Amino acid sequence: MVPIFVIAGIAIGMAAFVLLIQMAVRNGIRMSGLIDWRTQYELERIDDADGGKPTLHELYEIAAKTDSAPDAIERNVRAKALDYIESRNSIHVRNCWIVIGVAVGVCFLAMIITLASSPM
C-alpha cells in the first residue's frame, strides 16, 4: 500500500513541477519584453477565458471615435493594452504561487503518509 502512495505522490509532484516550469518559462518570455505589446495583447486576449476583451483593431476603432489625433489614438490604445497585459501578468504570477503551494502540500502529504505507514 505504501509504494502506491509514494508513486502517486511522486507522479503528482512531477506533474506539478513540469507545470510550474512551463508557466515560469511562458511568464518569463512574456514579461521580458521580447514580444511587442501588440502581439502580447492579442496572445493574452486569446488566452483569457472570459473572452470579453476587444481585438486590437477594435481598440483602435474605439479610440478613433474619441480622439482624432493619430498620436492620441496610439497612446490611448497602448495604455489600455499595457494595463490589460499587466493585469494578466499578475494573474500568471499568482497561478505560479498556487501551483508551488499545491506541489509542496502534496509532497508533504505523501511524506507524512509514508512515514505514518512505515513500521518503526
Side-chain angles (χ1 to χ4, degrees):
M1 184 78 165
V2 174
I4 293 173
F5 286 124
V6 172
I7 291 171
I10 290 171
I12 292 171
M14 287 175 55
F17 188 65
V18 167
L19 179 64
L20 179 66
I21 289 173
Q22 288 176 344
M23 290 170 64
V25 169
R26 177 178 173 256
N27 292 347
I29 291 171
R30 288 191 176 177
M31 290 181 185
S32 68
L34 295 173
I35 303 173
D36 69 324
W37 63 271
R38 290 177 181 90
T39 305
Q40 192 168 355
Y41 175 80
E42 288 297 331
L43 287 173
E44 294 295 346
R45 187 186 65 79
I46 291 169
D47 284 348
D48 193 3
D50 295 338
K53 284 294 182 184
T55 64
L56 197 59
H57 181 70
E58 291 169 345
L59 276 180
Y60 276 106
E61 289 177 352
I62 293 167
K65 291 178 183 175
T66 58
D67 293 320
S68 60
D71 291 340
I73 293 170
E74 182 72 21
R75 193 172 40 253
N76 288 340
V77 169
R78 182 180 174 126
K80 288 179 184 177
L82 290 176
D83 286 343
Y84 179 66
I85 290 167
E86 181 63 31
S87 71
R88 292 286 296 166
N89 284 343
S90 66
I91 290 171
H92 295 310
V93 170
R94 185 198 67 210
N95 290 345
C96 281
W97 282 111
I98 290 171
V99 169
I100 288 172
V102 168
V104 168
V106 166
C107 291
F108 181 74
L109 188 62
M111 181 184 72
I112 295 297
I113 290 171
T114 304
L115 290 175
S117 62
S118 66
M120 297 224 174

PDB file of all heavy atoms in Angstrom, residues 95-107:
ATOM      1  N   ASN A  95      -0.954  32.361 -10.235  1.00  0.00           N
ATOM      2  CA  ASN A  95      -1.144  30.943 -10.546  1.00  0.00           C
ATOM      3  C   ASN A  95       0.119  30.134 -10.280  1.00  0.00           C
ATOM      4  O   ASN A  95       0.036  28.989  -9.833  1.00  0.00           O
ATOM      5  CB  ASN A  95      -1.590  30.766 -11.991  1.00  0.00           C
ATOM      6  CG  ASN A  95      -2.998  31.263 -12.223  1.00  0.00           C
ATOM      7  OD1 ASN A  95      -3.748  31.480 -11.280  1.00  0.00           O
ATOM      8  ND2 ASN A  95      -3.362  31.451 -13.471  1.00  0.00           N
ATOM      9  N   CYS A  96       1.280  30.709 -10.546  1.00  0.00           N
ATOM     10  CA  CYS A  96       2.541  30.010 -10.251  1.00  0.00           C
ATOM     11  C   CYS A  96       2.663  29.751  -8.751  1.00  0.00           C
ATOM     12  O   CYS A  96       3.071  28.665  -8.334  1.00  0.00           O
ATOM     13  CB  CYS A  96       3.739  30.810 -10.735  1.00  0.00           C
ATOM     14  SG  CYS A  96       4.035  30.673 -12.492  1.00  0.00           S
ATOM     15  N   TRP A  97       2.339  30.735  -7.943  1.00  0.00           N
ATOM     16  CA  TRP A  97       2.420  30.543  -6.489  1.00  0.00           C
ATOM     17  C   TRP A  97       1.430  29.492  -6.013  1.00  0.00           C
ATOM     18  O   TRP A  97       1.719  28.711  -5.094  1.00  0.00           O
ATOM     19  CB  TRP A  97       2.202  31.857  -5.757  1.00  0.00           C
ATOM     20  CG  TRP A  97       3.416  32.727  -5.791  1.00  0.00           C
ATOM     21  CD1 TRP A  97       3.561  33.899  -6.474  1.00  0.00           C
ATOM     22  CD2 TRP A  97       4.660  32.499  -5.129  1.00  0.00           C
ATOM     23  NE1 TRP A  97       4.818  34.397  -6.290  1.00  0.00           N
ATOM     24  CE2 TRP A  97       5.512  33.574  -5.459  1.00  0.00           C
ATOM     25  CE3 TRP A  97       5.143  31.494  -4.299  1.00  0.00           C
ATOM     26  CZ2 TRP A  97       6.811  33.663  -4.982  1.00  0.00           C
ATOM     27  CZ3 TRP A  97       6.436  31.581  -3.820  1.00  0.00           C
ATOM     28  CH2 TRP A  97       7.261  32.649  -4.163  1.00  0.00           C
ATOM     29  N   ILE A  98       0.258  29.440  -6.614  1.00  0.00           N
ATOM     30  CA  ILE A  98      -0.723  28.419  -6.251  1.00  0.00           C
ATOM     31  C   ILE A  98      -0.189  27.031  -6.586  1.00  0.00           C
ATOM     32  O   ILE A  98      -0.297  26.094  -5.785  1.00  0.00           O
ATOM     33  CB  ILE A  98      -2.075  28.688  -6.948  1.00  0.00           C
ATOM     34  CG1 ILE A  98      -2.726  29.933  -6.347  1.00  0.00           C
ATOM     35  CG2 ILE A  98      -3.006  27.487  -6.839  1.00  0.00           C
ATOM     36  CD1 ILE A  98      -3.949  30.420  -7.103  1.00  0.00           C
ATOM     37  N   VAL A  99       0.400  26.881  -7.771  1.00  0.00           N
ATOM     38  CA  VAL A  99       0.953  25.580  -8.166  1.00  0.00           C
ATOM     39  C   VAL A  99       2.089  25.179  -7.234  1.00  0.00           C
ATOM     40  O   VAL A  99       2.187  24.013  -6.829  1.00  0.00           O
ATOM     41  CB  VAL A  99       1.411  25.610  -9.639  1.00  0.00           C
ATOM     42  CG1 VAL A  99       2.218  24.368  -9.986  1.00  0.00           C
ATOM     43  CG2 VAL A  99       0.212  25.723 -10.553  1.00  0.00           C
ATOM     44  N   ILE A 100       2.940  26.121  -6.862  1.00  0.00           N
ATOM     45  CA  ILE A 100       4.025  25.807  -5.926  1.00  0.00           C
ATOM     46  C   ILE A 100       3.442  25.347  -4.590  1.00  0.00           C
ATOM     47  O   ILE A 100       3.900  24.355  -4.012  1.00  0.00           O
ATOM     48  CB  ILE A 100       4.940  27.042  -5.720  1.00  0.00           C
ATOM     49  CG1 ILE A 100       5.770  27.294  -6.957  1.00  0.00           C
ATOM     50  CG2 ILE A 100       5.853  26.840  -4.515  1.00  0.00           C
ATOM     51  CD1 ILE A 100       6.551  28.594  -6.911  1.00  0.00           C
ATOM     52  N   GLY A 101       2.447  26.041  -4.088  1.00  0.00           N
ATOM     53  CA  GLY A 101       1.836  25.659  -2.819  1.00  0.00           C
ATOM     54  C   GLY A 101       1.206  24.285  -2.870  1.00  0.00           C
ATOM     55  O   GLY A 101       1.365  23.480  -1.941  1.00  0.00           O
ATOM     56  N   VAL A 102       0.511  23.986  -3.954  1.00  0.00           N
ATOM     57  CA  VAL A 102      -0.102  22.668  -4.099  1.00  0.00           C
ATOM     58  C   VAL A 102       0.968  21.584  -4.188  1.00  0.00           C
ATOM     59  O   VAL A 102       0.849  20.523  -3.563  1.00  0.00           O
ATOM     60  CB  VAL A 102      -1.038  22.633  -5.328  1.00  0.00           C
ATOM     61  CG1 VAL A 102      -1.464  21.217  -5.669  1.00  0.00           C
ATOM     62  CG2 VAL A 102      -2.244  23.519  -5.103  1.00  0.00           C
ATOM     63  N   ALA A 103       2.029  21.837  -4.937  1.00  0.00           N
ATOM     64  CA  ALA A 103       3.097  20.847  -5.077  1.00  0.00           C
ATOM     65  C   ALA A 103       3.776  20.571  -3.738  1.00  0.00           C
ATOM     66  O   ALA A 103       4.027  19.415  -3.393  1.00  0.00           O
ATOM     67  CB  ALA A 103       4.124  21.329  -6.099  1.00  0.00           C
ATOM     68  N   VAL A 104       4.056  21.614  -2.988  1.00  0.00           N
ATOM     69  CA  VAL A 104       4.672  21.432  -1.669  1.00  0.00           C
ATOM     70  C   VAL A 104       3.716  20.684  -0.747  1.00  0.00           C
ATOM     71  O   VAL A 104       4.119  19.771  -0.013  1.00  0.00           O
ATOM     72  CB  VAL A 104       5.087  22.792  -1.067  1.00  0.00           C
ATOM     73  CG1 VAL A 104       5.446  22.665   0.391  1.00  0.00           C
ATOM     74  CG2 VAL A 104       6.247  23.368  -1.851  1.00  0.00           C
ATOM     75  N   GLY A 105       2.445  21.025  -0.778  1.00  0.00           N
ATOM     76  CA  GLY A 105       1.459  20.337   0.055  1.00  0.00           C
ATOM     77  C   GLY A 105       1.332  18.864  -0.288  1.00  0.00           C
ATOM     78  O   GLY A 105       1.271  18.011   0.603  1.00  0.00           O
ATOM     79  N   VAL A 106       1.318  18.547  -1.562  1.00  0.00           N
ATOM     80  CA  VAL A 106       1.214  17.143  -1.985  1.00  0.00           C
ATOM     81  C   VAL A 106       2.458  16.370  -1.564  1.00  0.00           C
ATOM     82  O   VAL A 106       2.355  15.231  -1.070  1.00  0.00           O
ATOM     83  CB  VAL A 106       0.982  17.044  -3.505  1.00  0.00           C
ATOM     84  CG1 VAL A 106       1.206  15.631  -4.018  1.00  0.00           C
ATOM     85  CG2 VAL A 106      -0.420  17.515  -3.855  1.00  0.00           C
ATOM     86  N   CYS A 107       3.621  16.964  -1.763  1.00  0.00           N
ATOM     87  CA  CYS A 107       4.860  16.286  -1.351  1.00  0.00           C
ATOM     88  C   CYS A 107       4.890  16.087   0.163  1.00  0.00           C
ATOM     89  O   CYS A 107       5.292  15.020   0.654  1.00  0.00           O
ATOM     90  CB  CYS A 107       6.076  17.071  -1.814  1.00  0.00           C
ATOM     91  SG  CYS A 107       6.295  17.045  -3.590  1.00  0.00           S
TER      92      CYS A 107
END
